[in-house]
Amino acid sequence: MYIVHTATELAPLVKAGGLGDAVGGLCKELASLGHTIHVYLPLYPFLSLSIPLELQCQIPFVFDEAAMMTQVYKSQYGQLELYWFAIAPFCPYWHRSKIYGEANDLFYFLAFSLSVDAYLKTLAIQPDWLHLHDWHTAYLAFLSQHQSYSTLLTIHNAEHQGCCQRKDLQRFHLDSGDPTSQDCNLLQIGLTYAHRLTTVSPSYAKELQMGFQGFGLQETFQRHQEKLTGIINGIDTHIWSPETDSHLNFACSFHHGFSSVLEWKKKAKLELQERGINTKATSGPWCGSICRLVPQKNPDLIEASASFWIGKGLPFILLGSAPNASVQQRFDAIRLKFQNNPHATFIYTFDETVAHLIFAALDFLIIPSLYEPCGLTQLIAMRYGTIPIVRQTGGLQDTVFDWQNPNICPENRNGIVFQGSHDLALALEQAISIFQDQEKVYRTLILNGLHQD
């Protein structure tokens, strides 16, 4: 099958968060199964790629009655054929210093979608499927409605929707398909016109239709529920592998059993300590959080978890940053509060190698998300012998099963699950107890988790 993916991220080449990991892992897996996979991506001005690019063509488009030009480049990345779209590279308006968060995000991704549609029309051989990811490329479902290929839209996070006005589309000579409304929602347009819809876990597919997680589009999701399927994300086990992790100086084969996991974790902790992270030696369990500090990730409970764990005289590591200045200031104040505490580490600059080391070193990873479409950190944690402590929501409840849940087979129990702030402390107490006093349970949870993808 010939499949074209259009996305704003593809790990490890261009990544802002979990979307890049999900798209990268999916594309590589599909290619390994024998499918022909092409990936269309924006060529952001700030990218510095180590792979050679070959100019293919130039695609014209109109914005505010001015003629613009997109340059299309081709490159090869493993089994993937990549096409990079440089949006009007000689026009300052289209320059940007980051993937998201620029003033012209809406227009940039509309120009990308329009350029992709125009390029597809030049192909002698059309794809079987055009796979769209989130609101940034959702409008292509509307543009492609009369083409020979089918469209599939994956919703990775419905909070971000590409809301705009009809007049915004008209700046490109585009339409919304609804002449009765001046308000437009690019994600909603995609939901309406795509042939199939997927999201990243079965529970999230239900939540989109019934809960606040639909962010105002609940009725639209309900209306199109017959074409909506929830499929759990997976991780790229070539990148996230204790046996071959290129970010670590020590490999581990967990086939040697539980003792090899513990020995491997000791090495990771020592390396972090050599880097000045958690320099206080301790025999107690390490806990931490690796995430973006945004409302979705529930910063209140991350702060509460850190205070609880550090208050017990145990090491806690937070690796993350906040795009919101007020949230970042709040966590700066927390770091200042614990600056003389040898058990507290707060790192606000993302470092890929440090992230891999932290996953390897931690005994527990706290994920208290307010909502979580799927989540990859809990899957990575289990792959690295780290037990996840999660709030029961979305993909977290589809992948992490509580150690005491009588409705779950003992061999599938792989973590600690809590409901909210009222039982967070109990979950953390259970983690400490399992580590210190219940070695059999601790071993079982780790070994069960290692069998997860």
Side-chain angles (χ1 to χ4, degrees):
M1 192 177 295
Y2 172 20
I3 305 168
V4 170
H5 286 260
T6 58
T8 53
E9 303 177 39
L10 181 78
L13 299 177
V14 52
K15 172 185 169 180
L19 174 62
D21 291 314
V23 175
L26 174 61
C27 290
K28 284 197 279 187
E29 181 64 23
L30 289 172
S32 72
L33 294 174
H35 299 291
T36 299
I37 305 298
H38 294 181
V39 188
Y40 293 4
L41 299 153
L43 184 58
Y44 303 107
F46 58 84
L47 279 184
S48 179
L49 298 171
S50 58
I51 54 178
L53 302 179
E54 179 185 346
L55 180 63
Q56 298 295 291
C57 65
Q58 298 191 106
I59 301 291
F61 69 93
V62 174
F63 180 70
D64 281 348
E65 304 304 328
M68 301 285 172
M69 194 70 68
T70 294
Q71 294 178 336
V72 183
Y73 295 85
K74 176 183 174 182
S75 67
Q76 196 71 31
Y77 183 67
Q79 293 179 285
L80 305 180
E81 205 165 279
L82 309 183
Y83 291 82
W84 301 89
F85 290 71
I87 310 300
F90 303 112
C91 178
Y93 176 77
W94 301 101
H95 288 187
R96 57 204 293 113
S97 60
K98 51 191 174 182
I99 298 176
Y100 312 119
E102 299 281 13
N104 68 344
D105 275 6
L106 175 76
F107 299 121
Y108 186 88
F109 294 119
L110 273 173
F112 172 55
S113 296
L114 190 59
S115 300
V116 166
D117 179 64
Y119 182 71
L120 284 167
K121 290 173 180 175
T122 71
L123 299 180
I125 300 177
Q126 294 288 289
D128 298 298
W129 283 90
L130 178 63
H131 193 156
L132 318 173
H133 295 273
D134 273 349
W135 76 264
H136 315 90
T137 58
Y139 188 72
L140 274 160
F142 177 77
L143 294 175
S144 304
Q145 58 185 307
H146 301 301
Q147 301 304 315
S148 61
Y149 49 81
S150 299
T151 52
L152 166 65
L153 171 60
T154 294
I155 302 93
H156 297 265
N157 190 332
E159 180 178 3
H160 312 291
Q161 300 179 359
C163 296
C164 59
Q165 297 291 309
R166 193 179 179 197
K167 63 183 180 181
D168 295 323
L169 297 180
Q170 290 172 342
R171 296 177 74 176
F172 292 95
H173 294 180
L174 297 173
D175 191 19
S176 66
D178 181 7
T180 65
S181 176
Q182 295 303 312
D183 295 321
C184 298
N185 182 310
L186 299 188
L187 181 59
Q188 186 174 37
I189 291 173
L191 298 176
T192 301
Y193 286 94
H195 295 99
R196 296 284 300 182
L197 305 171
T198 62
T199 191
V200 291
S201 69
S203 289
Y204 190 56
K206 296 175 183 176
E207 291 170 349
L208 289 172
Q209 300 175 56
M210 299 181 295
F212 74 91
Q213 296 91 334
F215 290 95
L217 293 180
Q218 290 91 328
E219 290 185 5
T220 303
F221 281 109
Q222 291 172 14
R223 193 159 56 247
H224 297 287
Q225 61 181 295
E226 290 187 1
K227 62 180 182 180
L228 174 63
T229 304
I231 304 171
I232 295 175
N233 269 342
I235 59 174
D236 187 334
T237 54
H238 297 289
I239 295 175
W240 297 103
S241 170
E243 292 87 352
T244 60
D245 194 323
S246 62
H247 292 277
L248 305 181
N249 296 322
F250 43 90
C252 177
S253 176
F254 290 166
H255 298 298
H256 298 306
F258 180 66
S259 60
S260 65
V261 177
L262 299 185
E263 189 61 33
W264 185 70
K265 285 189 169 293
K266 286 181 182 177
K267 292 179 181 178
K269 289 172 181 175
L270 285 172
E271 183 156 340
L272 282 176
Q273 288 171 333
E274 288 173 1
R275 289 170 174 256
I277 297 172
N278 270 332
T279 55
K280 178 74 172 180
T282 176
S283 60
W286 290 30
C287 186
S289 175
I290 302 174
C291 68
R292 291 173 298 113
L293 298 173
V294 295
Q296 174 200 341
K297 302 300 181 181
N298 217 339
D300 288 345
L301 295 194
I302 293 175
E303 178 183 353
S305 300
S307 296
F308 179 95
W309 208 264
I310 296 166
K312 295 286 185 179
L314 299 170
F316 190 94
I317 304 175
L318 171 62
L319 176 62
S321 61
N324 181 284
S326 63
V327 175
Q328 186 62 61
Q329 289 171 3
R330 171 183 171 184
F331 277 87
D332 286 339
I334 296 170
R335 179 165 61 181
L336 184 63
K337 173 184 175 182
F338 291 110
Q339 65 178 340
N340 296 319
N341 191 308
H343 300 298
T345 303
F346 297 89
I347 306 169
Y348 299 139
T349 301
F350 187 80
D351 182 298
E352 192 72 31
T353 296
V354 170
H356 283 243
L357 273 170
I358 292 173
F359 273 117
L362 293 181
D363 300 296
F364 297 94
L365 182 76
I366 179 71
I367 313 172
S369 303
L370 186 62
Y371 72 95
E372 193 64 67
C374 179
L376 295 178
T377 55
Q378 80 276 15
L379 302 179
I380 297 168
M382 289 186 283
R383 181 85 175 173
Y384 280 56
T386 299
I387 298 172
I389 306 170
V390 307
R391 184 175 170 274
Q392 187 174 0
T393 184
L396 295 176
Q397 67 183 348
D398 290 338
T399 55
V400 180
F401 307 106
D402 189 72
W403 68 293
Q404 297 183 107
N405 189 336
N407 299 317
I408 299 296
C409 296
E411 59 268 25
N412 291 332
R413 299 173 192 170
N414 53 15
I416 300 171
V417 181
F418 66 98
Q419 302 293 320
S421 57
H422 65 283
D423 60 347
L424 171 64
L426 174 61
L428 297 173
E429 288 280 13
Q430 289 175 347
I432 296 170
S433 173
I434 288 170
F435 182 90
Q436 294 179 337
D437 306 318
Q438 303 181 64
E439 183 180 340
K440 183 178 179 181
V441 174
Y442 182 57
R443 179 193 299 112
T444 299
L445 292 179
I446 287 179
L447 296 179
N448 286 351
L450 290 175
H451 295 124
Q452 298 288 115
D453 180 3

Short mmCIF file of all heavy atoms in Angstrom, two decimals, residues 98-141:
data_model
loop_
_atom_site.label_atom_id
_atom_site.label_comp_id
_atom_site.label_asym_id
_atom_site.label_seq_id
_atom_site.Cartn_x
_atom_site.Cartn_y
_atom_site.Cartn_z
N LYS A 98 10.43 28.46 15.82
CA LYS A 98 9.99 27.26 16.54
C LYS A 98 8.82 26.65 15.78
O LYS A 98 8.21 27.28 14.91
CB LYS A 98 9.57 27.63 17.97
CG LYS A 98 8.57 28.79 18.05
CD LYS A 98 8.40 29.28 19.47
CE LYS A 98 7.52 30.53 19.50
NZ LYS A 98 7.38 31.07 20.88
N ILE A 99 8.51 25.39 16.12
CA ILE A 99 7.46 24.68 15.40
C ILE A 99 6.10 25.29 15.68
O ILE A 99 5.32 25.57 14.76
CB ILE A 99 7.46 23.18 15.78
CG1 ILE A 99 8.79 22.53 15.41
CG2 ILE A 99 6.31 22.45 15.09
CD1 ILE A 99 8.90 21.08 15.84
N TYR A 100 5.80 25.51 16.95
CA TYR A 100 4.51 26.05 17.35
C TYR A 100 4.71 27.31 18.19
O TYR A 100 5.76 27.51 18.78
CB TYR A 100 3.71 25.04 18.19
CG TYR A 100 3.65 23.65 17.60
CD1 TYR A 100 4.18 22.56 18.31
CD2 TYR A 100 3.08 23.40 16.36
CE1 TYR A 100 4.13 21.28 17.79
CE2 TYR A 100 3.03 22.12 15.83
CZ TYR A 100 3.56 21.08 16.55
OH TYR A 100 3.51 19.80 16.03
N GLY A 101 3.67 28.11 18.23
CA GLY A 101 3.69 29.28 19.10
C GLY A 101 4.04 30.58 18.43
O GLY A 101 4.20 31.60 19.10
N GLU A 102 4.14 30.59 17.08
CA GLU A 102 4.36 31.84 16.35
C GLU A 102 3.01 32.50 16.07
O GLU A 102 1.96 31.84 16.06
CB GLU A 102 5.09 31.57 15.03
CG GLU A 102 6.47 30.94 15.19
CD GLU A 102 7.54 31.95 15.57
OE1 GLU A 102 7.18 33.08 15.93
OE2 GLU A 102 8.73 31.60 15.49
N ALA A 103 3.03 33.78 15.83
CA ALA A 103 1.78 34.52 15.61
C ALA A 103 1.02 34.05 14.37
O ALA A 103 -0.20 34.17 14.31
CB ALA A 103 2.08 36.02 15.52
N ASN A 104 1.75 33.50 13.40
CA ASN A 104 1.10 33.11 12.15
C ASN A 104 0.97 31.60 12.00
O ASN A 104 0.93 31.08 10.89
CB ASN A 104 1.87 33.69 10.95
CG ASN A 104 3.25 33.05 10.78
OD1 ASN A 104 3.75 32.40 11.70
ND2 ASN A 104 3.85 33.23 9.61
N ASP A 105 0.87 30.88 13.12
CA ASP A 105 0.72 29.42 13.06
C ASP A 105 -0.39 29.00 12.12
O ASP A 105 -0.22 28.10 11.28
CB ASP A 105 0.43 28.85 14.45
CG ASP A 105 1.70 28.61 15.27
OD1 ASP A 105 2.79 28.99 14.80
OD2 ASP A 105 1.59 28.05 16.37
N LEU A 106 -1.56 29.60 12.27
CA LEU A 106 -2.71 29.22 11.45
C LEU A 106 -2.39 29.34 9.97
O LEU A 106 -2.63 28.40 9.19
CB LEU A 106 -3.92 30.10 11.80
CG LEU A 106 -5.15 29.88 10.92
CD1 LEU A 106 -5.86 28.60 11.31
CD2 LEU A 106 -6.09 31.07 10.99
N PHE A 107 -1.84 30.47 9.57
CA PHE A 107 -1.59 30.71 8.15
C PHE A 107 -0.43 29.85 7.63
O PHE A 107 -0.45 29.39 6.49
CB PHE A 107 -1.31 32.20 7.91
CG PHE A 107 -2.46 33.07 8.31
CD1 PHE A 107 -2.30 34.06 9.27
CD2 PHE A 107 -3.72 32.90 7.75
CE1 PHE A 107 -3.36 34.86 9.66
CE2 PHE A 107 -4.78 33.70 8.12
CZ PHE A 107 -4.61 34.68 9.08
N TYR A 108 0.55 29.61 8.50
CA TYR A 108 1.70 28.79 8.09
C TYR A 108 1.23 27.37 7.75
O TYR A 108 1.61 26.81 6.71
CB TYR A 108 2.75 28.77 9.19
CG TYR A 108 4.02 28.06 8.80
CD1 TYR A 108 5.06 28.74 8.17
CD2 TYR A 108 4.19 26.70 9.06
CE1 TYR A 108 6.23 28.08 7.80
CE2 TYR A 108 5.36 26.04 8.69
CZ TYR A 108 6.38 26.74 8.06
OH TYR A 108 7.52 26.09 7.69
N PHE A 109 0.43 26.79 8.62
CA PHE A 109 0.01 25.41 8.39
C PHE A 109 -1.06 25.30 7.32
O PHE A 109 -1.18 24.27 6.65
CB PHE A 109 -0.41 24.77 9.71
CG PHE A 109 0.74 24.62 10.68
CD1 PHE A 109 0.72 25.25 11.91
CD2 PHE A 109 1.86 23.88 10.33
CE1 PHE A 109 1.79 25.14 12.78
CE2 PHE A 109 2.94 23.76 11.20
CZ PHE A 109 2.91 24.39 12.43
N LEU A 110 -1.83 26.36 7.12
CA LEU A 110 -2.73 26.38 5.97
C LEU A 110 -1.94 26.43 4.66
O LEU A 110 -2.27 25.75 3.69
CB LEU A 110 -3.69 27.58 6.06
CG LEU A 110 -4.97 27.38 6.85
CD1 LEU A 110 -5.71 28.71 7.00
CD2 LEU A 110 -5.88 26.34 6.19
N ALA A 111 -0.88 27.24 4.64
CA ALA A 111 -0.04 27.31 3.44
C ALA A 111 0.63 25.97 3.18
O ALA A 111 0.75 25.53 2.02
CB ALA A 111 1.02 28.40 3.62
N PHE A 112 1.04 25.29 4.24
CA PHE A 112 1.62 23.95 4.12
C PHE A 112 0.60 22.99 3.51
O PHE A 112 0.89 22.25 2.55
CB PHE A 112 2.09 23.48 5.48
CG PHE A 112 2.53 22.03 5.53
CD1 PHE A 112 3.51 21.54 4.68
CD2 PHE A 112 1.95 21.16 6.45
CE1 PHE A 112 3.91 20.21 4.73
CE2 PHE A 112 2.36 19.84 6.51
CZ PHE A 112 3.32 19.35 5.64
N SER A 113 -0.62 22.99 4.05
CA SER A 113 -1.67 22.09 3.55
C SER A 113 -2.00 22.39 2.10
O SER A 113 -2.17 21.46 1.28
CB SER A 113 -2.93 22.23 4.42
OG SER A 113 -2.68 21.82 5.75
N LEU A 114 -2.10 23.65 1.76
CA LEU A 114 -2.42 24.04 0.39
C LEU A 114 -1.31 23.59 -0.56
O LEU A 114 -1.57 23.10 -1.68
CB LEU A 114 -2.60 25.56 0.32
CG LEU A 114 -3.18 26.16 -0.96
CD1 LEU A 114 -4.56 25.60 -1.24
CD2 LEU A 114 -3.26 27.68 -0.83
N SER A 115 -0.08 23.71 -0.14
CA SER A 115 1.06 23.30 -0.96
C SER A 115 1.10 21.78 -1.13
O SER A 115 1.42 21.27 -2.21
CB SER A 115 2.37 23.79 -0.33
OG SER A 115 2.39 25.21 -0.23
N VAL A 116 0.79 21.06 -0.06
CA VAL A 116 0.73 19.60 -0.15
C VAL A 116 -0.34 19.17 -1.14
O VAL A 116 -0.11 18.29 -1.99
CB VAL A 116 0.45 18.99 1.24
CG1 VAL A 116 0.06 17.51 1.12
CG2 VAL A 116 1.67 19.13 2.14
N ASP A 117 -1.51 19.78 -1.05
CA ASP A 117 -2.59 19.44 -1.99
C ASP A 117 -2.17 19.69 -3.43
O ASP A 117 -2.43 18.85 -4.31
CB ASP A 117 -3.83 20.27 -1.64
CG ASP A 117 -5.00 20.00 -2.57
OD1 ASP A 117 -5.50 18.86 -2.57
OD2 ASP A 117 -5.39 20.92 -3.31
N ALA A 118 -1.53 20.81 -3.68
CA ALA A 118 -1.09 21.13 -5.04
C ALA A 118 -0.04 20.14 -5.52
O ALA A 118 -0.05 19.71 -6.69
CB ALA A 118 -0.55 22.56 -5.09
N TYR A 119 0.87 19.75 -4.62
CA TYR A 119 1.93 18.81 -5.01
C TYR A 119 1.34 17.43 -5.30
O TYR A 119 1.74 16.76 -6.27
CB TYR A 119 2.98 18.71 -3.91
CG TYR A 119 4.13 17.80 -4.29
CD1 TYR A 119 5.06 18.17 -5.25
CD2 TYR A 119 4.28 16.55 -3.69
CE1 TYR A 119 6.10 17.34 -5.62
CE2 TYR A 119 5.32 15.71 -4.04
CZ TYR A 119 6.23 16.11 -5.00
OH TYR A 119 7.26 15.27 -5.37
N LEU A 120 0.40 16.99 -4.51
CA LEU A 120 -0.23 15.69 -4.74
C LEU A 120 -0.86 15.61 -6.13
O LEU A 120 -0.85 14.56 -6.79
CB LEU A 120 -1.29 15.41 -3.67
CG LEU A 120 -0.77 15.00 -2.29
CD1 LEU A 120 -1.88 15.06 -1.25
CD2 LEU A 120 -0.18 13.60 -2.32
N LYS A 121 -1.40 16.71 -6.58
CA LYS A 121 -2.07 16.74 -7.88
C LYS A 121 -1.08 16.60 -9.04
O LYS A 121 -1.49 16.32 -10.17
CB LYS A 121 -2.88 18.02 -8.03
CG LYS A 121 -4.12 18.05 -7.13
CD LYS A 121 -4.83 19.39 -7.16
CE LYS A 121 -6.05 19.37 -6.25
NZ LYS A 121 -6.72 20.70 -6.14
N THR A 122 0.20 16.79 -8.77
CA THR A 122 1.20 16.65 -9.83
C THR A 122 1.71 15.22 -9.97
O THR A 122 2.43 14.91 -10.93
CB THR A 122 2.42 17.57 -9.57
OG1 THR A 122 3.16 17.06 -8.44
CG2 THR A 122 1.98 19.00 -9.30
N LEU A 123 1.37 14.36 -9.01
CA LEU A 123 1.92 13.01 -9.00
C LEU A 123 1.27 12.13 -10.07
O LEU A 123 0.04 12.10 -10.19
CB LEU A 123 1.72 12.36 -7.62
CG LEU A 123 2.39 13.05 -6.42
CD1 LEU A 123 2.10 12.27 -5.15
CD2 LEU A 123 3.88 13.20 -6.63
N ALA A 124 2.10 11.39 -10.79
CA ALA A 124 1.59 10.46 -11.80
C ALA A 124 0.90 9.28 -11.14
O ALA A 124 -0.10 8.76 -11.65
CB ALA A 124 2.73 9.98 -12.69
N ILE A 125 1.44 8.85 -10.00
CA ILE A 125 0.84 7.75 -9.25
C ILE A 125 0.32 8.32 -7.93
O ILE A 125 1.08 8.86 -7.13
CB ILE A 125 1.87 6.64 -8.97
CG1 ILE A 125 2.42 6.09 -10.29
CG2 ILE A 125 1.24 5.53 -8.14
CD1 ILE A 125 3.50 5.04 -10.11
N GLN A 126 -0.97 8.21 -7.73
CA GLN A 126 -1.59 8.75 -6.52
C GLN A 126 -1.49 7.74 -5.37
O GLN A 126 -1.48 6.52 -5.58
CB GLN A 126 -3.06 9.07 -6.79
CG GLN A 126 -3.28 10.20 -7.80
CD GLN A 126 -2.92 11.55 -7.21
OE1 GLN A 126 -3.62 12.07 -6.35
NE2 GLN A 126 -1.82 12.12 -7.68
N PRO A 127 -1.41 8.24 -4.14
CA PRO A 127 -1.37 7.32 -2.99
C PRO A 127 -2.71 6.61 -2.80
O PRO A 127 -3.74 7.05 -3.33
CB PRO A 127 -1.07 8.24 -1.82
CG PRO A 127 -1.57 9.58 -2.24
CD PRO A 127 -1.36 9.65 -3.72
N ASP A 128 -2.67 5.52 -2.03
CA ASP A 128 -3.92 4.86 -1.65
C ASP A 128 -4.59 5.61 -0.49
O ASP A 128 -5.80 5.73 -0.44
CB ASP A 128 -3.64 3.41 -1.23
CG ASP A 128 -3.05 2.59 -2.36
OD1 ASP A 128 -3.74 2.44 -3.40
OD2 ASP A 128 -1.90 2.13 -2.23
N TRP A 129 -3.74 6.08 0.43
CA TRP A 129 -4.25 6.80 1.59
C TRP A 129 -3.40 8.06 1.84
O TRP A 129 -2.19 8.04 1.67
CB TRP A 129 -4.18 5.93 2.85
CG TRP A 129 -5.27 4.90 2.92
CD1 TRP A 129 -5.23 3.62 2.43
CD2 TRP A 129 -6.56 5.08 3.52
NE1 TRP A 129 -6.42 2.98 2.69
CE2 TRP A 129 -7.26 3.85 3.37
CE3 TRP A 129 -7.19 6.12 4.17
CZ2 TRP A 129 -8.55 3.66 3.84
CZ3 TRP A 129 -8.49 5.93 4.66
CH2 TRP A 129 -9.15 4.72 4.48
N LEU A 130 -4.09 9.10 2.26
CA LEU A 130 -3.44 10.32 2.75
C LEU A 130 -3.74 10.38 4.25
O LEU A 130 -4.90 10.52 4.65
CB LEU A 130 -3.97 11.56 2.04
CG LEU A 130 -3.40 12.91 2.51
CD1 LEU A 130 -1.90 12.98 2.23
CD2 LEU A 130 -4.14 14.06 1.83
N HIS A 131 -2.69 10.25 5.06
CA HIS A 131 -2.86 10.20 6.51
C HIS A 131 -2.52 11.57 7.10
O HIS A 131 -1.39 12.05 6.99
CB HIS A 131 -1.95 9.13 7.11
CG HIS A 131 -2.27 8.78 8.53
ND1 HIS A 131 -1.93 7.57 9.09
CD2 HIS A 131 -2.89 9.48 9.51
CE1 HIS A 131 -2.33 7.54 10.37
NE2 HIS A 131 -2.91 8.71 10.63
N LEU A 132 -3.49 12.18 7.75
CA LEU A 132 -3.37 13.52 8.31
C LEU A 132 -3.21 13.43 9.83
O LEU A 132 -3.79 12.53 10.46
CB LEU A 132 -4.60 14.36 7.97
CG LEU A 132 -5.14 14.20 6.54
CD1 LEU A 132 -6.45 14.95 6.37
CD2 LEU A 132 -4.10 14.69 5.54
N HIS A 133 -2.46 14.37 10.40
CA HIS A 133 -2.21 14.33 11.84
C HIS A 133 -2.55 15.67 12.47
O HIS A 133 -1.92 16.70 12.19
CB HIS A 133 -0.75 13.97 12.11
CG HIS A 133 -0.38 12.58 11.67
ND1 HIS A 133 -0.54 11.48 12.46
CD2 HIS A 133 0.12 12.14 10.48
CE1 HIS A 133 -0.14 10.40 11.80
NE2 HIS A 133 0.26 10.76 10.61
N ASP A 134 -3.58 15.66 13.32
CA ASP A 134 -4.03 16.83 14.09
C ASP A 134 -4.50 17.98 13.20
O ASP A 134 -4.56 17.87 11.98
CB ASP A 134 -2.94 17.27 15.07
CG ASP A 134 -3.04 16.49 16.40
OD1 ASP A 134 -4.05 15.80 16.62
OD2 ASP A 134 -2.11 16.59 17.22
N TRP A 135 -4.83 19.10 13.83
CA TRP A 135 -5.50 20.19 13.11
C TRP A 135 -4.61 20.80 12.04
O TRP A 135 -5.12 21.35 11.06
CB TRP A 135 -5.94 21.27 14.10
CG TRP A 135 -4.84 22.17 14.62
CD1 TRP A 135 -4.17 22.04 15.78
CD2 TRP A 135 -4.32 23.35 14.00
NE1 TRP A 135 -3.24 23.05 15.93
CE2 TRP A 135 -3.31 23.87 14.85
CE3 TRP A 135 -4.58 24.03 12.79
CZ2 TRP A 135 -2.59 25.02 14.55
CZ3 TRP A 135 -3.86 25.17 12.50
CH2 TRP A 135 -2.87 25.66 13.36
N HIS A 136 -3.31 20.70 12.21
CA HIS A 136 -2.38 21.39 11.32
C HIS A 136 -2.53 20.95 9.86
O HIS A 136 -2.27 21.74 8.94
CB HIS A 136 -0.94 21.14 11.78
CG HIS A 136 -0.76 21.29 13.25
ND1 HIS A 136 -0.90 20.24 14.13
CD2 HIS A 136 -0.47 22.38 14.01
CE1 HIS A 136 -0.71 20.66 15.36
NE2 HIS A 136 -0.44 21.95 15.32
N THR A 137 -2.94 19.69 9.66
CA THR A 137 -3.12 19.19 8.28
C THR A 137 -4.54 18.70 8.04
O THR A 137 -4.83 18.15 6.99
CB THR A 137 -2.12 18.06 7.99
OG1 THR A 137 -2.30 16.99 8.94
CG2 THR A 137 -0.68 18.55 8.08
N ALA A 138 -5.44 18.90 9.01
CA ALA A 138 -6.81 18.39 8.91
C ALA A 138 -7.57 18.97 7.71
O ALA A 138 -8.43 18.31 7.13
CB ALA A 138 -7.57 18.68 10.20
N TYR A 139 -7.25 20.21 7.34
CA TYR A 139 -7.98 20.86 6.24
C TYR A 139 -7.77 20.13 4.91
O TYR A 139 -8.57 20.26 3.99
CB TYR A 139 -7.53 22.32 6.12
CG TYR A 139 -8.35 23.14 5.15
CD1 TYR A 139 -9.64 23.53 5.47
CD2 TYR A 139 -7.82 23.53 3.91
CE1 TYR A 139 -10.40 24.27 4.58
CE2 TYR A 139 -8.58 24.28 3.03
CZ TYR A 139 -9.86 24.64 3.37
OH TYR A 139 -10.62 25.38 2.48
N LEU A 140 -6.73 19.31 4.83
CA LEU A 140 -6.49 18.54 3.61
C LEU A 140 -7.62 17.55 3.33
O LEU A 140 -7.83 17.16 2.19
CB LEU A 140 -5.16 17.79 3.71
CG LEU A 140 -3.93 18.60 3.29
CD1 LEU A 140 -2.65 17.99 3.87
CD2 LEU A 140 -3.84 18.70 1.78
N ALA A 141 -8.35 17.15 4.37
CA ALA A 141 -9.50 16.27 4.14
C ALA A 141 -10.55 16.97 3.29
O ALA A 141 -11.18 16.35 2.41
CB ALA A 141 -10.11 15.83 5.48
#
